[in-house]
Amino acid sequence: MRKSIVAANWKMNGNSQLVADFAQTQLQSNVAEIIYGLPAILISQAKSLGLKNIAGEDVSANKNGAFTGEISAVMLKEQGAEFCIIGHSERRQYHGENEKLLAEKWARLNEENIAVIYCIGETEAEYDAGITKSVLERQLNPMLAAGLIDENTVIAYEPVWAIGTGKAATAEYAEKTHQEIREIISRQSADVASKIRILYGGSVKANNAEELANMENIDGFLVGGASLKINEFKQIIEAFK
Ligand code: PEP
């Protein structure tokens, strides 16, 4: 039985007041793990106010040194992060991140025992060309070959065309793609493929969460815009009963 996860990704949004509001509300679920992906500068405050399951949104591929502006896995750990998102499409698109770099970031996180939330997904052009599965193979295979994916990994499938557009994937399409992801992982380990949590991300809102959550292979969500609104995020969490 895979425990559901509902993870927030605040991106470059939010502030100390919003952290304080979420900390005061203390959203709860008996069935889903709630994770807060926060700008690194807010992590320490979130932790000290009692928010649990904090995730960084990115990490440096380097351990330390002359890398102005970057944040290391050691620093994330010290501030209290237990998870870290890597490979978000905004990092791939605006910062040219590829699998080679992401494998290095992943290794840094493993050294600090920070669990990885690895984002994958096709662009609109790749979707239109019908090559989603080969894109997912391109994004997953190097990580499988490097032995980085295990049952504690969290995969976030986020079709790029659905992120921040209000145009979520249909539940059927997301379910089919999650099955394909499990199939790709099962080529290396059927056991890991059956245990790994695969989240859907891309315009998840209170009004579509339940239909997506009912799908067998959708083990949770990575939520951007709607994770900034306490009430809406609460309703999304409640989609997992
Ligand atoms: C995301 O940033 O990971 C995301 C899914 O954003 P949104 O929910 O706003 O589409």
Side-chain angles (χ1 to χ4, degrees):
M1 186 66 190
R2 299 183 294 264
K3 184 161 189 192
S4 309
I5 291 178
V6 181
N9 176 19
W10 283 15
K11 314 192 190 198
M12 199 171 70
N13 296 300
N15 53 24
S16 297
Q17 184 59 55
L18 194 62
V19 171
D21 292 346
F22 269 92
Q24 196 176 25
T25 309
Q26 288 289 345
L27 297 172
Q28 308 275 355
S29 168
N30 290 331
V31 290
E33 271 176 61
I34 304 168
I35 298 176
Y36 293 94
L38 303 178
I41 200 160
L42 297 175
I43 290 176
S44 157
Q45 181 206 0
K47 203 72 191 172
S48 68
L49 292 181
L51 280 181
K52 298 192 175 61
N53 293 341
I54 308 293
E57 298 179 5
D58 181 39
V59 68
S60 175
N62 300 292
K63 284 189 196 217
N64 56 35
F67 301 100
T68 302
E70 294 207 16
I71 291 171
S72 70
V74 174
M75 292 168 177
L76 285 178
K77 183 77 175 191
E78 189 186 28
Q79 297 308 308
E82 291 154 279
F83 297 84
C84 187
I85 299 166
I86 57 171
H88 192 281
S89 68
E90 289 149 17
R91 301 291 316 173
R92 293 178 188 265
Q93 192 182 342
Y94 305 136
H95 300 269
E97 298 196 357
N98 58 22
E99 285 70 35
K100 183 174 175 295
L101 179 78
L102 293 170
E104 289 165 18
K105 293 185 175 209
W106 200 318
R108 296 293 83 73
L109 293 167
N110 279 352
E111 286 161 9
E112 298 310 314
N113 261 318
I114 296 176
V116 169
I117 302 174
Y118 180 53
C119 299
I120 57 176
E122 80 282 11
T123 64
E124 183 148 35
E126 290 162 340
Y127 173 82
D128 289 343
I131 58 167
T132 296
K133 191 164 181 188
S134 64
V135 170
L136 301 174
E137 285 168 336
R138 186 190 77 217
Q139 295 169 333
L140 287 167
N141 283 343
M143 307 310 181
L144 288 164
L148 292 166
I149 295 181
D150 64 23
E151 64 186 69
N152 298 315
T153 305
V154 179
I155 303 285
Y157 166 62
E158 302 204 299
V160 181
W161 46 269
I163 297 178
T165 58
K167 206 171 76 178
T170 62
E172 292 72 26
Y173 178 76
E175 168 66 13
K176 175 177 124 336
T177 312
H178 283 217
Q179 284 172 10
E180 288 173 350
I181 293 166
R182 246 181 255 290
E183 192 274 314
I184 294 167
I185 296 170
S186 75
R187 294 174 200 160
Q188 188 176 74
S189 166
D191 184 51
V192 171
S194 70
K195 289 182 179 153
I196 201 165
R197 269 97 48 98
I198 306 176
L199 315 184
Y200 167 77
S203 297
V204 175
K205 308 284 177 206
N207 63 11
N208 59 15
E210 195 163 328
E211 196 188 351
L212 287 157
N214 284 339
M215 293 290 157
E216 193 183 328
N217 286 286
I218 297 182
D219 304 316
F221 300 130
L222 182 57
V223 186
S227 72
L228 295 161
K229 302 173 196 148
I230 296 180
N231 241 329
E232 183 154 22
F233 194 52
K234 178 170 181 282
Q235 289 173 61
I236 292 171
I237 293 163
E238 287 166 356
F240 292 95
K241 300 186 179 83

